[in-house]
Amino acid sequence: MVDILTSVFRTFIQQTSLPKDLKLIPPSSPTCSALVVGEHSISRLLLLLSAVTAASEMGMKVLFFTQTQIQSLPVSLQNCIPNLSPESLKKIKFSYPRTVEELLQQVACLHESAPTPPSLIIVDRLEGYLCGHGGSGQSGFHQGEQSLAAHVSALLHDTAAFFTQVLEQQASGLAPCRIIASFQSEVEVRKPGGEPSAPDPILGVLDRYFQVRCTLDQDRSYEAIAAGLQEAWHIYFSGPGITEALCTKASEEKNPGVAQEWRLVIFPHGLMEFTLV
């Protein structure tokens, strides 16, 4: 969840930007979950970074669901972790359900398959499962899709809660089981008169289940372009679970629940750097 995402950021952080009072609090909730919201190429990069970090740095078993075959790790990830152990990658299992029915079936059967459950479940591009076939970008969301979002989210959280109990009984030190999923809205629901878009109804459903939202917002400022950066992104943490996992002493004392902001820079040669804002 946020502890894993933050470990990713700290691994590639600009050291001068790391405040001394930043501390990482182990997740205490029975089910820990985060939803990465934004452009899918960057969200997938963060999901893969999370999977690799959890497996290589934390020794976790990871289950990664996606509709798209992953033949190799992104170049930017390979550049940042050039000495990644093959043994670490063996801890990551990729699964490729094509439809939401296949996803539900595979998640529902997880408890039957492995004696050692995963400590991290990742679902890439939830919109591909929830919004028509392959996220085809329809003109609006239907009530059935909102119900489906609730069904998928509830099953993921029930499964994670069950695995957390198993991991605690095994005393492996790998509990709780965490969930990270990504979602990119395929439609904009606009008000009459062309006013700013209304809240995404699917996202509203997902927010009820996922404790933390990690929002990706591309930096298109002149400064970013003038600096010759390939890409620059702002990353915002928000939601009711944020104070349980990532906080500074100041935010604990003065602003409970305040969103945490990071900045991701991807350089032309593929290296990445995170900065705490």
Side-chain angles (χ1 to χ4, degrees):
M1 197 193 65
V2 175
D3 57 332
I4 296 174
L5 287 170
T6 308
S7 294
V8 170
F9 300 166
R10 288 170 66 100
T11 300
F12 305 104
I13 197 170
Q14 186 182 57
Q15 293 300 319
T16 56
S17 72
L18 185 62
K20 295 180 180 179
D21 62 350
L22 180 70
K23 60 180 181 179
L24 189 60
I25 300 177
S28 58
S29 174
T31 302
C32 302
S33 57
L35 183 69
V36 180
V37 179
E39 206 280 324
H40 65 81
S41 64
I42 297 299
S43 65
R44 168 174 272 207
L45 177 61
L46 286 184
L47 295 188
L48 288 170
L49 277 170
S50 299
V52 170
T53 300
S56 61
E57 302 295 331
M58 302 178 177
M60 293 180 179
K61 184 177 178 181
V62 181
L63 184 57
F64 196 114
F65 290 106
T66 179
Q67 289 179 310
T68 307
Q69 290 280 336
I70 297 177
Q71 303 295 340
S72 60
L73 296 175
V75 174
S76 55
L77 195 155
Q78 295 181 39
N79 290 340
C80 292
I81 316 178
N83 299 319
L84 186 62
S85 166
E87 292 301 317
S88 297
L89 290 177
K90 290 180 181 179
K91 295 180 181 293
I92 306 173
K93 179 181 178 181
F94 292 96
S95 185
Y96 301 101
R98 294 168 297 176
T99 65
V100 68
E101 291 81 11
E102 290 183 7
L103 175 65
L104 289 168
Q105 182 179 19
Q106 291 186 25
V107 173
C109 295
L110 284 177
H111 67 283
E112 303 173 354
S113 57
T116 304
S119 295
L120 175 60
I121 299 174
I122 294 176
V123 183
D124 177 36
R125 299 197 67 183
L126 269 175
E127 76 278 0
Y129 295 106
L130 301 177
C131 308
H133 296 288
S136 56
Q138 302 175 10
S139 60
F141 289 119
H142 299 97
Q143 186 65 35
E145 290 172 329
Q146 297 178 49
S147 299
L148 189 58
H151 185 188
V152 172
S153 300
L155 180 60
L156 286 169
H157 283 76
D158 288 346
T159 301
F162 173 78
F163 285 159
T164 293
Q165 293 180 347
V166 175
L167 291 168
E168 290 174 344
Q169 292 170 359
Q170 294 177 350
S172 61
L174 297 176
C177 178
R178 303 150 174 88
I179 304 169
I180 303 177
S182 65
F183 179 83
Q184 180 182 8
S185 178
E186 294 290 332
V187 301
E188 291 184 351
V189 183
R190 292 202 170 273
K191 300 178 181 179
E195 296 179 17
S197 59
D200 187 331
I202 292 290
L203 195 53
V205 173
L206 296 174
D207 279 339
R208 295 204 298 267
Y209 288 89
F210 288 84
Q211 298 165 317
V212 173
R213 185 197 287 193
C214 175
T215 303
L216 309 176
D217 183 24
Q218 189 167 10
D219 184 352
R220 303 181 186 276
S221 66
Y222 172 79
E223 290 78 8
I225 298 174
L229 303 177
Q230 180 171 321
E231 292 184 68
W233 294 81
H234 293 283
I235 304 174
Y236 303 96
F237 281 116
S238 60
I242 188 64
T243 54
E244 297 180 6
L246 173 66
C247 61
T248 62
K249 292 179 181 178
S251 65
E252 277 188 304
E253 296 170 0
K254 300 178 182 179
N255 299 302
V258 67
Q260 301 291 324
E261 181 180 351
W262 296 73
R263 188 169 186 260
L264 165 63
V265 170
I266 302 178
F267 295 96
H269 46 71
L271 291 180
M272 294 179 293
E273 183 178 86
F274 291 89
T275 305
L276 181 63
V277 178

